[in-house]
Amino acid sequence: MSKSLPTKINSTADLKKFLQTALRVEQATIPPYLCALYSIPDGLNREASHTIHTVVMEEMLHILLVANLINAIGGKPVVDSPHFPIDYPSPLPGFDHLPKNEQPYHVGLEKFSPEAMETFLRIELPTYDDPDGSHGPPATIGQFYDLIRQGFHDAYKESKESLFKGSRKRQVTPEYYYGGSGEVFEVTNMESAMRAIDEIVDQGEGHDGSVFSGQSGSKRYSGDEEPAHYYRFNEIYTGRFYQEGDSHDQPPSGPVFPVRWDGVYNMHPNPKAEQFKKSSPTRKLMDECNQTYTRLLGALDDSFNGNPQNLLEGVRDMYEIKYQAVALMKIPRDDDSGTTAGPAFQYDRPS
Amino acid sequence: MINYEKGIEATPEEVAEKVSKDYYDVIIVGAGFAGSILAKELGKGAKKVLILEAGRSTSIRPEGYDSYVTRFQEALAKTPNSPYPENPNAPQSSVLFQRQIQAGQAVDNGYQVYLGPQPFMSTFTRLTAGTSLHWLGTSMRMVPSDFEMSKRFGRGVNWPISYTDLQPYYQDAEYEIGVSADVEEQLRDIQNPEDKGNYFEKGYEYPMHQIPKTHLDKWLGKKLEGKSFEMEGKKYPMQVVGTPQSRNGMPNPKYADSPYNKRKKRGHYVPRGGVHDPRMGQRCEGNTACVPICPVMAKYNGLKSLYSADPEKVDLLTQAVVTNIEIDPKTQQVSGLDYTVYDSETSAAPGNYQKFVARTRKGGAYIVAAHAIETAKLLLQSGTPATGNNEKCGGVANSSDMVGRNLMDHPYLLTWGLVPRGTRLGVLRGPLVSSEVPMRDGAFRDAHAAFRGDVRNGGWDFAAGAPYSNVLGLLAPGDGKNPVLGSKLRRQLYEDVQRQLSFGFEIEQLPDPANRVMIREEYRDKLGAYRPVIRYDMGEYSIRGMQAAKRLSDSILKEVGGVDHTVYQESDTGYVFHYEDGKKVGYTFHGSGHIVGTHRMGTNRGDSVVNSDQQTWDHENLYLVGCGNFPTIGTSNPSLTAAALAFKCADHLIKKVL
């Protein structure tokens, strides 16, 4: 993938490139969320767990929608490649052109902690329409998707319906996604393409500057009315719930949000398999976990390239990664740090 | 939909206030499988409903449900009732109290009293959501011949309704409790072509695709392809058929276009996850804790119906034990329900009780849906209790003397064997049961019981305590042999367990008035209510069914090159025997928890308790709903049929009565 994205999408080929980067962006946020989530032992920090879990599920939905967007215009999503996942810690794909001090999307693998929440808050920071904004390469995820949206409009002007020439058989249909609040749908025309982009952008970031996406927060956890991700992470970070009347630029003022930062597995940040002696039992587990992860990427790749039913195979590996990750987080590292091993999310396909 | 901030839970004071204003259209006893569905449906029909539930409301709250899951995980003996703490005010039975009964000596150390000659091995749950908090989730329809046992096979009795009468309500039930199954596979074992043609409405699909078959299911299915099994001179195919389950699977896109769904004007089916967190449990995760409690609620339980009941219309009062059904001597109608509310969840200290009477408005209806055993017990203890001189025809709704009688269960026969060395069946993966070998229908039913054989994914778990017993056997082999240790132990354990093939046969039982629930003066619980006293025996029809089932298991083992290891011993609890070619042969049965028949429906008030509307013959405004209404048991797990009967009753009440 190119180090720096162009400032404008000039062709359908460019659009496909941007979408492939979008696929990587959405996927790259998941391992950091999972590390925070799995570092919380069962039964502790329930509210926080719930929040992170919800966000992970929505990121997965975004991946499927981006894959549908790519397939709709006859592209080929690539997931099963050593160049697909990022090497943590790292900027998100497509944002590595930004100077380090302006880098909003530097993400790493960390246990559930205030530092991890700071990262999540940066990823989910709402951005507002800025019509007079600069025309350089995208500086926020919002701008990045704005370019994609514009790219669709331009390409559609040129090609009309023939832009959506991809086979419908390659689309992921609703029955394959569950456990989140949104729904996967097929992308077959401009309308569904725009809907998919809206879904991705809206869920991630507050779209209108309000804390709650609806009128009231009284029905939260019933599935409909929940604050946007940013605010949910801010609740964890500040230890307070938002309540009705709270403004988006003020900290939450509701009841105490119960958080225990000490009730977690003390995972050392950004673990790598190579940090452990070859042939040691921990290394073996690290390798296994990486291989499960790679197998999962393979299943995703396969299901985005004509075999959607293979997503079911992927589900098995998603559970497997959880078991392996939690097992690793219980193994003390061989030093005096008092920290533990953890999942590395490295591409590892044994030959 | 749900919100437990503004839930359906009511206080005794609120209920008393509403009762004084003749507010309720319907009062239901029991917030279990049938009661939850009835309340939801009647509420939808704009009826004002009160449910009186004897058990606690713990499961209604997220932390309460989770506390049950934790309790189950920590329990040493993972019995069906292990998640649920003892409640002296609304006691329930436990399988741990069962043992072989010596003649004339009642086993009375648990809640239920067993008179023998056979132990009654099944239990139920007295809690909000009832036994749906410990069921397996198996949800097949009954087959048409089950409704005409007397007419077709000269055995048992006929139902006053046919399969066709119940068919529309099966569709309602399959939507409400969310069934994953395959239409084509469900037709395979139905023998009569006409029955087959009418089994499903044309174009019908289950809401969700069948739960994927396990490796074991597929392996066995392949081995048995084209093989048949002979019973009473006729051959039946040996086939592995997916078991319908109320466990969330992949929604079936074709369901949206089925005529049923279109009539209901519903769109795509969306699996209903946990009531406390709807994002959980939208698919089965294979936790294998199906019995008793699914940690993510991928399996249906009554909470799903209660939570979707209209909170404006439905009130639920828990810890309210109904002790008496009052009958107006002049009109012979129910005039009220006496109930006791206990305020402590655990203690039975006197003084903590308040007594109330619940009444409907004039022209309202009372429904007892308290489970086959508790409903029968409540009827027997009401009015002039059916004890001592009043044993015959005492109680309420009992002019036929049929209340409590015809108690049936599916005796559960385990068989187990080993397949050849090196075979890996995939044991201990997936739900406890995902497929079966059915022998549910056929001319043989005039000679012996029909049955279905669960293909058990847990190997010899139930049969012999595997895999723990295997660990013990390798660590302490006895006879001076050396223990197997280290990686060899791990390897050996895996190899051994992966060869374990085991079947669990649900065997049909016939109605026998002598198998019954009774009450006796000397057996009371702490609240002073009667305890169920059970007399139960196994008829020759069922034992011959066991014989055929064991023969089927032997045939299957032969086909797969396996060796039978089944042992039934006279000392086993649940050992029964008969004579085969002059030789005494015994079988050991367990309970299935499929408790039916105790207030059966019929066409004649002389030999049944309710009519085809599930209305008692004796009291116009008293209805009984649940498995107790079944005249015969067939081979289906009864919950789906009980749910269908609940839909039928709600429909009748809304359209014809209220």
Side-chain angles (χ1 to χ4, degrees):
Chain A
M1 205 55 50
S2 64
K3 265 277 168 195
S4 178
L5 285 166
T7 55
K8 191 170 181 312
I9 297 173
N10 293 310
S11 63
T12 309
D14 279 355
L15 183 56
K16 285 176 189 167
K17 256 187 221 157
F18 260 73
L19 286 168
Q20 174 64 30
T21 304
L23 199 59
R24 293 185 67 214
V25 170
E26 299 298 341
Q27 192 276 334
T29 60
I30 291 181
Y33 289 137
L34 288 184
C35 284
L37 182 63
Y38 296 158
S39 72
I40 301 173
D42 276 348
L44 287 174
N45 286 313
R46 300 186 83 114
E47 300 276 9
S49 269
H50 175 90
T51 297
I52 303 172
H53 184 254
T54 308
V55 175
V56 170
M57 292 312 297
E58 285 168 7
E59 297 301 348
M60 292 199 197
L61 173 63
H62 297 172
I63 293 178
L64 302 182
L65 289 172
V66 174
N68 278 357
L69 282 164
I70 298 176
N71 275 317
I73 58 171
K76 286 199 172 70
V78 179
V79 179
D80 189 2
S81 149
H83 307 295
F84 183 81
I86 60 172
D87 182 11
Y88 299 99
S90 155
L92 287 179
F95 295 94
D96 27 18
H97 59 280
L98 297 172
K100 210 170 175 190
N101 56 347
E102 288 171 34
Q103 178 53 258
Y105 302 129
H106 201 264
V107 296
L109 305 176
E110 290 180 84
K111 67 176 180 181
F112 177 69
S113 61
E115 294 74 26
M117 287 308 118
E118 285 166 15
T119 306
F120 299 168
L121 283 166
R122 281 198 304 273
I123 300 176
E124 304 289 347
L125 184 70
T127 52
Y128 307 108
D129 285 348
D130 180 12
D132 305 320
S134 74
H135 293 281
T140 66
I141 295 176
Q143 287 172 8
F144 174 73
Y145 277 103
D146 282 345
L147 283 175
I148 291 179
R149 200 182 270 122
Q150 192 54 47
F152 264 98
H153 283 298
D154 294 344
Y156 185 74
K157 236 180 250 166
E158 196 149 304
S159 324
K160 296 289 175 224
E161 292 305 323
S162 71
L163 173 62
F164 298 96
K165 62 178 182 189
S167 160
R168 273 186 83 160
K169 282 192 190 134
R170 293 169 66 90
Q171 295 280 319
V172 176
T173 42
E175 65 268 28
Y176 292 105
Y177 175 78
Y178 59 93
S181 59
E183 199 186 38
V184 177
F185 47 85
E186 295 180 57
V187 175
T188 54
N189 53 25
M190 250 337 239
E191 185 274 326
S192 45
M194 291 303 108
R195 197 146 49 89
I197 295 171
D198 289 346
E199 172 88 19
I200 295 167
V201 179
D202 280 358
Q203 268 191 357
E205 313 174 9
H207 43 100
D208 56 1
S210 64
V211 174
F212 293 97
S213 34
Q215 318 84 328
S216 106
S218 66
K219 282 203 298 182
R220 56 188 323 175
Y221 303 117
S222 65
D224 324 319
E225 299 298 334
E226 297 197 340
H229 295 172
Y230 176 84
Y231 303 104
R232 305 189 61 177
F233 285 131
N234 208 29
E235 288 180 327
I236 302 175
Y237 188 60
T238 57
R240 286 216 174 268
F241 280 104
Y242 281 100
Q243 59 183 352
E244 282 181 78
D246 278 356
S247 158
H248 69 91
D249 50 8
Q250 295 294 319
S253 69
V256 169
F257 188 110
V259 178
R260 273 189 57 188
W261 299 111
D262 61 338
V264 296
Y265 298 122
N266 193 16
M267 185 187 96
H268 193 275
N270 303 306
K272 304 274 175 216
E274 309 82 75
Q275 292 164 346
F276 298 86
K277 265 203 283 293
K278 261 195 179 155
S279 81
S280 70
T282 312
R283 173 64 180 269
K284 200 168 159 253
L285 252 176
M286 292 292 292
D287 288 342
E288 277 172 16
C289 186
N290 283 337
Q291 286 155 16
T292 310
Y293 176 57
T294 309
R295 202 166 57 225
L296 170 61
L297 295 179
L300 290 176
D301 195 293
D302 199 20
S303 50
F304 299 159
N305 284 283
N307 300 304
Q309 70 282 3
N310 281 5
L311 273 174
L312 298 181
E313 300 294 314
V315 172
R316 191 189 55 200
D317 287 327
M318 292 178 203
Y319 279 97
E320 195 65 37
I321 287 176
K322 178 182 173 178
Y323 302 138
Q324 291 172 338
V326 173
L328 282 165
M329 287 182 188
K330 291 178 180 171
I331 301 176
R333 283 170 77 104
D334 198 9
D335 54 25
D336 299 329
S337 64
T339 58
T340 69
F345 295 98
Q346 291 167 290
Y347 191 92
D348 178 0
R349 188 173 291 283
S351 44
Chain B
M1 282 253 299
I2 120 104
N3 60 74
Y4 65 96
E5 287 162 8
K6 192 184 167 218
I8 59 175
E9 277 190 273
T11 64
E13 291 73 25
E14 285 164 3
V15 167
E17 170 78 16
K18 287 179 173 174
V19 165
S20 71
K21 291 178 179 157
D22 294 334
Y23 174 86
Y24 292 111
D25 297 303
V26 183
I27 300 178
I28 301 171
V29 182
F33 220 111
S36 307
I37 291 173
L38 279 163
K40 176 181 174 180
E41 290 305 302
L42 290 166
K44 263 195 338 205
K47 304 303 170 202
K48 286 169 284 193
V49 181
L50 169 67
I51 317 176
L52 297 171
E53 165 56 46
R56 305 179 185 105
S57 65
T58 318
S59 59
I60 285 248
R61 279 168 285 279
E63 67 281 4
Y65 189 86
D66 288 353
S67 75
Y68 287 157
V69 174
T70 308
R71 212 179 136 84
F72 169 70
Q73 286 165 343
E74 289 168 355
L76 292 177
K78 301 204 183 299
T79 61
N81 280 345
S82 57
Y84 312 114
E86 285 289 305
N87 178 352
N89 295 308
Q92 59 196 15
S93 44
S94 165
V95 289
L96 298 177
F97 288 121
Q98 282 146 352
R99 50 186 157 90
Q100 199 66 315
I101 298 168
Q102 305 301 318
Q105 287 179 14
V107 172
D108 62 358
N109 49 335
Y111 170 56
Q112 290 175 174
V113 180
Y114 306 106
L115 299 184
Q118 291 302 327
F120 187 72
M121 312 277 272
S122 285
T123 62
F124 57 96
T125 303
R126 289 178 85 186
L127 285 169
T128 304
T131 307
S132 72
L133 284 179
H134 92 206
W135 75 315
L136 176 57
T138 308
S139 292
M140 73 271 297
R141 299 178 180 194
M142 294 179 80
V143 296
S145 52
D146 293 340
F147 294 77
E148 300 182 340
M149 286 298 291
S150 169
K151 187 176 157 195
R152 297 200 196 188
F153 309 111
R155 295 286 190 168
V157 292
N158 299 326
W159 287 49
I161 55 173
S162 68
Y163 175 84
T164 318
D165 295 327
L166 207 53
Q167 196 268 357
Y169 301 109
Y170 270 131
Q171 297 180 333
D172 289 334
E174 281 158 355
Y175 173 81
E176 177 63 22
I177 69 181
V179 180
S180 302
D182 183 271
V183 160
E184 187 275 326
E185 289 199 18
Q186 286 311 299
L187 290 171
R188 281 196 205 158
D189 190 45
I190 296 173
Q191 302 298 322
N192 180 317
E194 199 182 319
D195 290 345
K196 211 176 235 194
N198 297 327
Y199 198 57
F200 293 108
E201 182 182 17
K202 202 170 175 309
Y204 184 73
E205 295 282 343
Y206 281 97
M208 291 171 283
H209 286 302
Q210 180 163 286
I211 298 285
K213 291 203 163 112
T214 57
H215 175 71
L216 168 60
D217 297 335
K218 292 181 197 159
W219 176 87
L220 189 62
K222 233 187 194 127
K223 293 272 179 194
L224 297 184
E225 237 167 50
K227 308 282 194 246
S228 63
F229 177 68
E230 192 175 312
M231 287 181 291
E232 304 299 314
K234 196 169 173 274
K235 283 186 171 167
Y236 298 85
M238 289 199 268
Q239 50 192 348
V240 178
V241 168
T243 305
Q245 320 199 22
S246 294
R247 197 168 294 129
N248 287 336
M250 291 255 293
N252 184 347
K254 284 196 223 152
Y255 182 73
D257 294 325
S258 71
Y260 167 76
N261 198 53
K262 286 202 150 159
R263 277 198 304 280
K264 294 281 173 184
K265 300 190 170 58
R266 294 177 183 140
H268 280 283
Y269 184 81
V270 181
R272 197 148 38 130
V275 298
H276 305 127
D277 182 352
R279 290 166 198 183
M280 301 270 282
Q282 291 180 12
R283 299 288 189 281
C284 170
E285 298 180 353
N287 280 299
T288 68
C290 320
V291 172
I293 187 161
C294 176
V296 295
M297 284 202 217
K299 181 187 72 171
Y300 172 84
N301 65 47
L303 296 173
K304 295 192 183 188
S305 295
L306 287 174
Y307 261 70
S308 48
D310 183 350
E312 302 288 331
K313 295 278 181 282
V314 177
D315 289 339
L316 167 67
L317 182 62
T318 56
Q319 301 184 192
V321 184
V322 176
T323 52
N324 182 44
I325 303 170
E326 281 179 13
I327 302 291
D328 181 324
K330 264 194 257 155
T331 62
Q332 283 301 306
Q333 297 226 1
V334 177
S335 54
L337 301 174
D338 301 339
Y339 67 97
T340 303
V341 173
Y342 55 94
D343 62 1
S344 161
E345 292 223 347
T346 48
S347 94
N352 290 343
Y353 302 122
Q354 282 177 283
K355 290 185 187 295
F356 297 90
V357 186
R359 303 182 201 282
T360 64
R361 66 163 169 85
K362 202 168 174 334
Y366 296 83
I367 308 175
V368 185
H371 183 273
I373 287 179
E374 286 299 313
T375 297
K377 193 201 80 175
L378 175 59
L379 294 171
L380 291 172
Q381 77 179 12
S382 291
T384 310
T387 59
N389 291 340
N390 294 312
E391 189 183 320
K392 210 168 145 51
C393 303
V396 157
N398 192 25
S399 64
S400 61
D401 189 26
M402 282 293 131
V403 171
R405 294 189 183 272
N406 304 302
L407 172 69
M408 289 172 271
D409 187 11
H410 287 130
Y412 196 68
L413 183 79
L414 288 161
T415 64
W416 57 103
L418 287 177
V419 299
R421 205 166 284 284
T423 314
R424 289 169 183 179
L425 296 178
V427 168
L428 294 167
R429 291 272 178 168
L432 298 175
V433 174
S434 43
S435 287
E436 66 195 36
V437 181
M439 294 291 163
R440 303 177 59 196
D441 194 16
F444 64 87
R445 294 177 83 181
D446 62 4
H448 64 73
F451 52 90
R452 358 177 256 106
D454 290 342
V455 181
R456 298 193 58 90
N457 289 321
W460 293 8
D461 56 351
F462 193 173
Y468 312 106
S469 52
N470 294 76
V471 178
L472 204 63
L474 291 165
L475 281 178
D479 295 338
K481 280 188 223 154
N482 286 328
V484 183
L485 298 169
S487 58
K488 209 173 158 213
L489 168 67
R490 209 156 53 224
R491 214 166 36 242
Q492 190 64 46
L493 179 66
Y494 181 75
E495 293 298 331
D496 290 353
V497 169
Q498 289 308 318
R499 294 172 60 207
Q500 295 178 345
L501 183 60
S502 175
F503 296 97
F505 292 96
E506 270 107 352
I507 314 271
E508 185 182 16
Q509 197 175 13
L510 291 175
D512 175 357
N515 287 341
R516 62 188 291 209
V517 180
M518 294 172 270
I519 54 171
R520 294 268 170 92
E521 279 307 331
E522 63 267 38
Y523 294 121
R524 305 272 194 143
D525 67 18
K526 293 211 163 124
L527 213 65
Y530 290 91
R531 290 161 54 191
V533 176
I534 294 173
R535 192 250 172 224
Y536 185 67
D537 199 3
M538 193 59 53
E540 174 68 9
Y541 185 77
S542 295
I543 302 178
R544 291 201 58 203
M546 294 178 193
Q547 178 185 354
K550 176 66 172 56
R551 198 162 55 80
L552 173 62
S553 170
D554 291 343
S555 304
I556 294 174
L557 277 167
K558 202 172 147 211
E559 291 296 348
V560 303
V563 179
D564 182 41
H565 283 256
T566 310
V567 182
Y568 305 125
Q569 296 174 349
E570 225 159 307
S571 56
D572 293 339
T573 301
Y575 179 85
V576 289
F577 65 89
H578 69 164
Y579 291 88
E580 295 171 17
D581 302 325
K583 227 177 78 201
K584 183 174 160 181
V585 182
Y587 302 92
T588 301
F589 73 91
H590 300 263
S592 290
H594 303 165
I595 310 176
V596 315
T598 51
H599 44 81
R600 73 183 179 191
M601 36 194 325
T603 44
N604 178 345
R605 63 183 308 141
D607 65 6
S608 60
V609 181
V610 295
N611 62 25
S612 57
D613 291 326
Q614 304 170 75
Q615 177 189 37
T616 56
W617 291 109
D618 297 344
H619 314 286
E620 197 191 353
N621 61 347
L622 178 62
Y623 291 77
L624 311 177
V625 179
C627 299
N629 284 349
F630 292 20
T632 58
I633 191 167
T635 50
S636 299
N637 302 38
S639 297
L640 180 79
T641 302
L645 288 173
F647 274 99
K648 185 174 185 295
C649 183
D651 196 32
H652 168 76
L653 286 173
I654 291 168
K655 285 186 183 150
K656 305 261 175 72
V657 181
L658 298 169

